[in-house]
Amino acid sequence: MFGTDQGPKTAPISEGEEYDVKIEDVGKEGDGITRINGFVVFVPGTKAGEEVKVKIVSVRRRFGFAEKVS
């Protein structure tokens, strides 16, 4: 059925939350990339393969940003 709108897709993460993650890749700007529940999160100052604890600092519609806390 076309035209059905199930509302805006909400991110599975929120600002201030902390997660233990593994950095999967590095983006064009050099930020580490991880996924939390399938949601892309950029983590500056990390490298592919690193396992770090991160804190979510910003959430957009399709991706988020986090900072390394350990």
Side-chain angles (χ1 to χ4, degrees), residues 16-37:
E17 293 178 337
E18 293 187 359
Y19 296 91
D20 292 309
V21 299
K22 183 170 184 177
I23 304 301
E24 302 169 10
D25 205 352
V26 176
K28 293 180 202 170
E29 304 295 321
D31 294 342
I33 300 172
T34 190
R35 286 177 177 78
I36 300 170
N37 297 323

Side-chain angles (χ1 to χ4, degrees), residues 4-5 9 15 25 31-34 46 53:
T4 59
D5 184 9
K9 194 172 182 184
E15 289 180 20
D25 205 352
D31 294 342
I33 300 172
T34 190
T46 58
K53 180 181 279 275

Side-chain angles (χ1 to χ4, degrees), residues 16-19 53-58 65-69:
E17 293 178 337
E18 293 187 359
Y19 296 91
K53 180 181 279 275
V54 298
K55 182 175 183 178
I56 306 302
V57 294
S58 177
F65 291 97
E67 62 185 10
K68 184 165 68 167
V69 292

